[in-house]
Amino acid sequence: MDWGAAWLAPWRATGEPVAQQIVRGDTVHSALQTVLGAGRGGVRFVPQSDLPDGIAYEQFIFDTRRVPTRDNLHDFFNGLAWLQFPQTKRRLNQLQAQAIAADGIQAVRGPLRDALTVFDENGAVLQAPEALWDALRARDWQALFVDLRPLWREARLVLFGHALLEKLVSPRKPMVAHVYQAPAAIHSIADMDAWLAQALQPGHWATKPFAPLPVLGVPGWWPANEVPGFYADAQVFRPLRVASVA
């Protein structure tokens, strides 16, 4: 794992010690619990075998404050998210459990659970000048990444989704984050966590208030995006769809 990668910068101080313990032979849940410490974070990391058959994962966490954890990268990054964003992860879990209690487990998730899962797995938070947000919402990739490139020095992108972090262990150009807008006044990860947990309001969140962002197009995140023509790939940098009028 390349802890020098730009997207891992906010995660390194917490994640590298956990990874080192795993390399020395610890299980993922044990390494996470050691870094978490007793009585912190409101949850405990436990083996996946602690999850009883027939009990929904999110419901089990809500009821027991225990996070079933497998020995793989996906659950490693999920555990790091609990360490970095404890308030947000608890709020996501609360909303998932409430939806499960109300509607049960169905073949297709409802709009709220779907949106929560998308963000939990693949979300990110972007602080950026409004001009960058305007270009992103319009899918104007030329403006976003080329014409307005100097403005990215005033921006900060923090990945949240543990599946996205897992995929970026082997970076590929098509990888996309679902990005939520954060105010520029937030500086620390702890403050971002508190703000994001408060922002998780069901009515608003069910609308999927995200914008898709090909993360390896972010200036400074991948050397290949310095090459002319990088953003001309319409399979990755797709134009905004315009709804047809009947």
Side-chain angles (χ1 to χ4, degrees), residues 116-219:
L116 296 172
T117 301
V118 166
F119 191 78
D120 193 25
E121 297 278 347
N122 217 56
V125 173
L126 176 63
Q127 297 168 288
E130 200 59 37
L132 290 181
W133 268 103
D134 289 343
L136 176 57
R137 293 189 182 103
R139 315 293 195 269
D140 187 345
W141 309 114
Q142 171 69 27
L144 180 66
F145 290 125
V146 180
D147 301 342
L148 300 175
R149 200 173 185 86
L151 279 183
W152 279 94
R153 290 194 289 268
E154 303 173 32
R156 179 169 69 152
L157 177 65
V158 178
L159 303 191
F160 178 86
H162 54 280
L164 179 60
L165 288 162
E166 177 193 11
K167 288 183 286 187
L168 281 165
V169 171
S170 299
R172 293 186 301 108
K173 187 176 180 180
M175 292 176 178
V176 173
H178 291 78
V179 179
Y180 189 66
Q181 186 173 14
I186 295 171
H187 300 294
S188 70
I189 292 295
D191 288 344
M192 182 175 287
D193 179 34
W195 164 81
L196 187 54
Q198 289 295 320
L200 281 163
Q201 299 301 319
H204 174 58
W205 218 255
T207 67
K208 289 187 179 176
F210 320 130
L213 176 68
V215 292
L216 294 179
V218 174

Side-chain angles (χ1 to χ4, degrees), residues 216-229:
L216 294 179
V218 174
W221 276 40
W222 213 34
N225 69 38
E226 299 286 347
V227 177

Side-chain angles (χ1 to χ4, degrees), residues 6-75:
W7 51 87
L8 286 179
W11 299 85
R12 185 170 190 169
T14 301
E16 198 166 21
V18 178
Q20 289 169 349
Q21 286 189 228
I22 295 168
V23 169
R24 288 195 292 265
D26 278 3
T27 60
V28 173
H29 78 270
S30 176
L32 287 164
Q33 190 61 41
T34 297
V35 171
L36 176 66
R40 289 182 55 238
V43 296
R44 291 179 55 240
F45 297 102
V46 297
Q48 179 71 18
S49 58
D50 279 20
L51 177 63
D53 293 339
I55 301 298
Y57 170 82
E58 295 286 356
Q59 191 66 53
F60 178 79
I61 295 174
F62 183 75
D63 290 341
T64 70
R65 296 296 184 261
R66 291 183 287 167
V67 181
T69 304
R70 300 164 296 181
D71 289 321
N72 59 28
L73 275 173
H74 190 84
D75 286 12

